[in-house]
Amino acid sequence: MAKAPKIQYQCSDCGASFPKWAGQCADCGAWNTLQEQVPAASKAAGGRFGGYAGDARSQSVRRLSDVAAERSERISTGLGELDRVLGGGLVLGSVALIGGDPGIGKSTLLIQAMALLAEQMPVLYVSGEESAEQISLRAQRLGLSGEQVQLLTETCVERIIGLTQQHAPRALVLDSIQTFYTEELQSAPGSVAQVRESAARLVRFAKQTGTSLFLVGHVTKEGALAGPRVLEHMVDTVLYFEGESGSQFRLIRAIKNRFGAVNELGVFAMTDKGLREVANPSAIFLSRHEEQVPGSAILVTREGTRPLLVEVQALVDQSPLGNPRRVALGLGQNRLSMLLAVLHRHGGIGMFDQDVFLNVVGGVRVTEPAADLAVLLAVLSSFRDRPLPNDLVTFGEVGLAGEVRPVPSGQERLREAAKHGFRRAIVPRANAPKKPIDGLEVVAVSRIGEAIEAL
Ligand code: TYD
Ligand code: MG
């Protein structure tokens, strides 16, 4: 007797599946995301296990040193900042996933990059979201010739692959992965199974033919790529758009890259002529105040391979609540709580009856602990209502024992600060330069007490 197909419940956020329904996904913790799924016929599953990294030819076991490592050639996309986040240019046969909020500029970036790439090689732009007229209108507005760019509006993966084989482009854009479907599966486009299977097919196709693939992915309200996280594992590079949509600047961060540094940041400005590169962004996020204001500290952070000066702002205010608020934008909330505890325990300054708000200007997200010292100084400055000197920069990690720990590339950060006219720096002792840097007075500290005193 044939068994009835077993019903499974799959999380629409992370793709984990369970035999029983529950209100919360046990894997990723999302609520109300489990959906009933009938597993697809085994044929589709066979394809899934076929692997997407290798090709169809049978492979043999070889010694690592015998494998002729072909130097993967880099192709410039014509947009320097995009090349930067890709790790120095486009690698043929690589797959990049580009995520971001709706309207942040994913389609704009890719149509611009394709128009430039088209001068070197055949490219194809597949859209499942916009009509050909819409895309053409946008290209005209952007002043792109579009003569070499091939366009296709189609959502069936099998037909896309068929047509792509005929035209043999070297670079292929799929905008967006949530709109495509494969005929193998019954579920609706955008469902976890469809997104995963469509992406797997396209990735396999790209690897077999050496086509560079750009997949566009939507982002959920919580900021994660919608659909299964498994997409992030299947691709070589994951790029995220960051930044506030209200701001003119658009940041692209590489959060995974098999061909280059992660956390590399590309900076663009959205103009009426599309995205323009900001080649020297180190100081664009400083809001130069006319006068010194309390609660503002300048941090030299390092994003990927270059230093960036950003302003950390804090507001400390008497709290009307029994449980004061700790709000951090662009920085970790837990990190803030930890730093306040360190400040109390090792600096003797308590803020248990104060609300503390923290913000990084310009919508930049700072992920490195080197921001700790700047956070402490900004909080302290607001608490005491005394501005920091406006020619002061700082960086350094703060430990639970109240020690100030060194951070990577201290010299480079200090030189960047000096270049932008900063005259004073409070840095970890181990980051103090051996040779003095022209025009920069460096105060080296090893405990937070010393940093507070140095003010
Ligand atoms: P778009 O690339 O369509 O976003 P996504 O594909 O990520 O959803 O971006 C559209 C936004 O960019 C829209 O809000 C208008 C703005 N924009 C400009 O400001 N200037 C331009 O030249 C273009 C083409 C778009
Ligand atoms: Mg779009």
mmCIF file of all heavy atoms in Angstrom, residues 115-139:
data_model
loop_
_atom_site.group_PDB
_atom_site.id
_atom_site.type_symbol
_atom_site.label_atom_id
_atom_site.label_comp_id
_atom_site.label_asym_id
_atom_site.label_seq_id
_atom_site.Cartn_x
_atom_site.Cartn_y
_atom_site.Cartn_z
ATOM 1 N N ALA A 115 24.999 47.943 -17.672
ATOM 2 C CA ALA A 115 25.226 48.802 -18.836
ATOM 3 C C ALA A 115 26.722 49.024 -19.035
ATOM 4 O O ALA A 115 27.209 49.083 -20.171
ATOM 5 C CB ALA A 115 24.505 50.129 -18.648
ATOM 6 N N LEU A 116 27.472 49.134 -17.933
ATOM 7 C CA LEU A 116 28.920 49.334 -18.044
ATOM 8 C C LEU A 116 29.623 48.036 -18.442
ATOM 9 O O LEU A 116 30.531 48.034 -19.269
ATOM 10 C CB LEU A 116 29.482 49.859 -16.726
ATOM 11 C CG LEU A 116 29.083 51.304 -16.386
ATOM 12 C CD1 LEU A 116 29.404 51.626 -14.948
ATOM 13 C CD2 LEU A 116 29.791 52.275 -17.320
ATOM 14 N N LEU A 117 29.176 46.927 -17.839
ATOM 15 C CA LEU A 117 29.794 45.630 -18.147
ATOM 16 C C LEU A 117 29.549 45.240 -19.596
ATOM 17 O O LEU A 117 30.361 44.552 -20.216
ATOM 18 C CB LEU A 117 29.206 44.546 -17.243
ATOM 19 C CG LEU A 117 29.964 44.143 -16.008
ATOM 20 C CD1 LEU A 117 29.209 43.053 -15.279
ATOM 21 C CD2 LEU A 117 31.369 43.660 -16.348
ATOM 22 N N ALA A 118 28.413 45.672 -20.123
ATOM 23 C CA ALA A 118 28.017 45.265 -21.470
ATOM 24 C C ALA A 118 29.024 45.718 -22.520
ATOM 25 O O ALA A 118 29.071 45.168 -23.622
ATOM 26 C CB ALA A 118 26.635 45.833 -21.793
ATOM 27 N N GLU A 119 29.839 46.737 -22.158
ATOM 28 C CA GLU A 119 30.848 47.179 -23.124
ATOM 29 C C GLU A 119 31.954 46.144 -23.269
ATOM 30 O O GLU A 119 32.699 46.163 -24.245
ATOM 31 C CB GLU A 119 31.437 48.519 -22.667
ATOM 32 C CG GLU A 119 30.423 49.643 -22.803
ATOM 33 C CD GLU A 119 30.817 50.890 -22.035
ATOM 34 O OE1 GLU A 119 31.982 50.993 -21.627
ATOM 35 O OE2 GLU A 119 29.938 51.759 -21.853
ATOM 36 N N GLN A 120 32.088 45.247 -22.258
ATOM 37 C CA GLN A 120 33.157 44.249 -22.324
ATOM 38 C C GLN A 120 32.662 42.866 -22.685
ATOM 39 O O GLN A 120 33.408 42.051 -23.206
ATOM 40 C CB GLN A 120 33.861 44.130 -20.969
ATOM 41 C CG GLN A 120 34.311 45.443 -20.387
ATOM 42 C CD GLN A 120 34.805 45.234 -18.966
ATOM 43 O OE1 GLN A 120 35.527 44.297 -18.685
ATOM 44 N NE2 GLN A 120 34.403 46.104 -18.066
ATOM 45 N N MET A 121 31.415 42.555 -22.324
ATOM 46 C CA MET A 121 30.939 41.190 -22.549
ATOM 47 C C MET A 121 29.421 41.181 -22.612
ATOM 48 O O MET A 121 28.768 42.114 -22.173
ATOM 49 C CB MET A 121 31.425 40.293 -21.411
ATOM 50 C CG MET A 121 31.079 40.810 -20.043
ATOM 51 S SD MET A 121 31.695 39.624 -18.877
ATOM 52 C CE MET A 121 31.487 40.363 -17.358
ATOM 53 N N PRO A 122 28.863 40.098 -23.178
ATOM 54 C CA PRO A 122 27.405 40.042 -23.270
ATOM 55 C C PRO A 122 26.771 39.886 -21.888
ATOM 56 O O PRO A 122 27.255 39.105 -21.070
ATOM 57 C CB PRO A 122 27.145 38.807 -24.132
ATOM 58 C CG PRO A 122 28.400 38.033 -24.125
ATOM 59 C CD PRO A 122 29.513 38.947 -23.821
ATOM 60 N N VAL A 123 25.722 40.650 -21.628
ATOM 61 C CA VAL A 123 25.040 40.573 -20.340
ATOM 62 C C VAL A 123 23.537 40.421 -20.564
ATOM 63 O O VAL A 123 23.012 40.808 -21.607
ATOM 64 C CB VAL A 123 25.285 41.830 -19.479
ATOM 65 C CG1 VAL A 123 26.752 42.055 -19.230
ATOM 66 C CG2 VAL A 123 24.666 43.055 -20.117
ATOM 67 N N LEU A 124 22.883 39.839 -19.582
ATOM 68 C CA LEU A 124 21.429 39.667 -19.651
ATOM 69 C C LEU A 124 20.815 40.069 -18.322
ATOM 70 O O LEU A 124 21.292 39.659 -17.266
ATOM 71 C CB LEU A 124 21.094 38.205 -19.981
ATOM 72 C CG LEU A 124 19.609 37.816 -19.987
ATOM 73 C CD1 LEU A 124 18.852 38.582 -21.069
ATOM 74 C CD2 LEU A 124 19.442 36.320 -20.204
ATOM 75 N N TYR A 125 19.778 40.887 -18.393
ATOM 76 C CA TYR A 125 19.083 41.336 -17.193
ATOM 77 C C TYR A 125 17.697 40.721 -17.203
ATOM 78 O O TYR A 125 16.887 41.008 -18.080
ATOM 79 C CB TYR A 125 19.004 42.865 -17.213
ATOM 80 C CG TYR A 125 18.480 43.485 -15.940
ATOM 81 C CD1 TYR A 125 19.335 44.061 -15.014
ATOM 82 C CD2 TYR A 125 17.113 43.496 -15.673
ATOM 83 C CE1 TYR A 125 18.858 44.617 -13.848
ATOM 84 C CE2 TYR A 125 16.624 44.051 -14.504
ATOM 85 C CZ TYR A 125 17.508 44.613 -13.601
ATOM 86 O OH TYR A 125 17.024 45.170 -12.437
ATOM 87 N N VAL A 126 17.435 39.835 -16.239
ATOM 88 C CA VAL A 126 16.130 39.186 -16.166
ATOM 89 C C VAL A 126 15.354 39.803 -15.024
ATOM 90 O O VAL A 126 15.824 39.826 -13.888
ATOM 91 C CB VAL A 126 16.263 37.664 -15.918
ATOM 92 C CG1 VAL A 126 14.900 37.008 -15.981
ATOM 93 C CG2 VAL A 126 17.217 37.049 -16.914
ATOM 94 N N SER A 127 14.167 40.325 -15.329
ATOM 95 C CA SER A 127 13.359 40.921 -14.274
ATOM 96 C C SER A 127 12.051 40.173 -14.136
ATOM 97 O O SER A 127 11.378 39.895 -15.126
ATOM 98 C CB SER A 127 13.092 42.392 -14.580
ATOM 99 O OG SER A 127 12.300 42.934 -13.544
ATOM 100 N N GLY A 128 11.712 39.854 -12.912
ATOM 101 C CA GLY A 128 10.419 39.242 -12.649
ATOM 102 C C GLY A 128 9.505 40.231 -11.963
ATOM 103 O O GLY A 128 8.386 39.899 -11.588
ATOM 104 N N GLU A 129 9.982 41.442 -11.777
ATOM 105 C CA GLU A 129 9.221 42.432 -11.000
ATOM 106 C C GLU A 129 8.720 43.577 -11.840
ATOM 107 O O GLU A 129 7.610 44.038 -11.671
ATOM 108 C CB GLU A 129 10.122 43.014 -9.896
ATOM 109 C CG GLU A 129 10.385 42.033 -8.810
ATOM 110 C CD GLU A 129 10.988 42.677 -7.586
ATOM 111 O OE1 GLU A 129 11.575 43.767 -7.716
ATOM 112 O OE2 GLU A 129 10.869 42.071 -6.514
ATOM 113 N N GLU A 130 9.572 44.045 -12.741
ATOM 114 C CA GLU A 130 9.207 45.230 -13.498
ATOM 115 C C GLU A 130 9.012 44.860 -14.961
ATOM 116 O O GLU A 130 9.583 43.886 -15.443
ATOM 117 C CB GLU A 130 10.318 46.286 -13.394
ATOM 118 C CG GLU A 130 10.464 46.840 -12.008
ATOM 119 C CD GLU A 130 11.771 47.588 -11.835
ATOM 120 O OE1 GLU A 130 12.819 46.946 -11.741
ATOM 121 O OE2 GLU A 130 11.733 48.813 -11.819
ATOM 122 N N SER A 131 8.225 45.659 -15.663
ATOM 123 C CA SER A 131 8.040 45.408 -17.089
ATOM 124 C C SER A 131 9.242 45.948 -17.853
ATOM 125 O O SER A 131 9.997 46.780 -17.355
ATOM 126 C CB SER A 131 6.764 46.088 -17.580
ATOM 127 O OG SER A 131 6.940 47.482 -17.535
ATOM 128 N N ALA A 132 9.395 45.462 -19.080
ATOM 129 C CA ALA A 132 10.512 45.912 -19.911
ATOM 130 C C ALA A 132 10.461 47.422 -20.099
ATOM 131 O O ALA A 132 11.497 48.092 -20.121
ATOM 132 C CB ALA A 132 10.463 45.196 -21.261
ATOM 133 N N GLU A 133 9.229 47.980 -20.207
ATOM 134 C CA GLU A 133 9.093 49.433 -20.417
ATOM 135 C C GLU A 133 9.616 50.200 -19.201
ATOM 136 O O GLU A 133 10.304 51.202 -19.342
ATOM 137 C CB GLU A 133 7.624 49.815 -20.660
ATOM 138 C CG GLU A 133 7.063 49.374 -21.992
ATOM 139 C CD GLU A 133 6.789 47.875 -22.048
ATOM 140 O OE1 GLU A 133 6.543 47.275 -20.978
ATOM 141 O OE2 GLU A 133 6.840 47.296 -23.144
ATOM 142 N N GLN A 134 9.274 49.695 -18.027
ATOM 143 C CA GLN A 134 9.741 50.363 -16.805
ATOM 144 C C GLN A 134 11.268 50.389 -16.746
ATOM 145 O O GLN A 134 11.865 51.404 -16.407
ATOM 146 C CB GLN A 134 9.207 49.636 -15.567
ATOM 147 C CG GLN A 134 7.797 49.997 -15.203
ATOM 148 C CD GLN A 134 7.293 49.140 -14.055
ATOM 149 O OE1 GLN A 134 7.438 47.923 -14.061
ATOM 150 N NE2 GLN A 134 6.708 49.767 -13.064
ATOM 151 N N ILE A 135 11.854 49.262 -17.080
ATOM 152 C CA ILE A 135 13.318 49.177 -17.004
ATOM 153 C C ILE A 135 13.948 50.082 -18.046
ATOM 154 O O ILE A 135 14.920 50.787 -17.781
ATOM 155 C CB ILE A 135 13.773 47.720 -17.196
ATOM 156 C CG1 ILE A 135 13.176 46.855 -16.083
ATOM 157 C CG2 ILE A 135 15.287 47.615 -17.191
ATOM 158 C CD1 ILE A 135 13.287 45.379 -16.321
ATOM 159 N N SER A 136 13.351 50.103 -19.222
ATOM 160 C CA SER A 136 13.882 50.948 -20.287
ATOM 161 C C SER A 136 13.769 52.421 -19.909
ATOM 162 O O SER A 136 14.689 53.211 -20.134
ATOM 163 C CB SER A 136 13.124 50.642 -21.573
ATOM 164 O OG SER A 136 13.114 51.759 -22.400
ATOM 165 N N LEU A 137 12.623 52.786 -19.314
ATOM 166 C CA LEU A 137 12.434 54.173 -18.874
ATOM 167 C C LEU A 137 13.495 54.577 -17.869
ATOM 168 O O LEU A 137 14.072 55.663 -17.951
ATOM 169 C CB LEU A 137 11.071 54.311 -18.213
ATOM 170 C CG LEU A 137 9.971 54.971 -19.032
ATOM 171 C CD1 LEU A 137 8.661 54.945 -18.281
ATOM 172 C CD2 LEU A 137 10.367 56.407 -19.374
ATOM 173 N N ARG A 138 13.742 53.667 -16.937
ATOM 174 C CA ARG A 138 14.743 53.977 -15.913
ATOM 175 C C ARG A 138 16.118 54.144 -16.554
ATOM 176 O O ARG A 138 16.838 55.095 -16.250
ATOM 177 C CB ARG A 138 14.786 52.892 -14.857
ATOM 178 C CG ARG A 138 15.954 53.099 -13.937
ATOM 179 C CD ARG A 138 16.147 52.053 -12.893
ATOM 180 N NE ARG A 138 15.019 51.934 -12.000
ATOM 181 C CZ ARG A 138 14.705 50.800 -11.386
ATOM 182 N NH1 ARG A 138 15.421 49.733 -11.607
ATOM 183 N NH2 ARG A 138 13.683 50.741 -10.581
ATOM 184 N N ALA A 139 16.465 53.231 -17.448
ATOM 185 C CA ALA A 139 17.774 53.306 -18.098
ATOM 186 C C ALA A 139 17.916 54.621 -18.839
ATOM 187 O O ALA A 139 18.970 55.262 -18.801
ATOM 188 C CB ALA A 139 17.955 52.127 -19.032
#
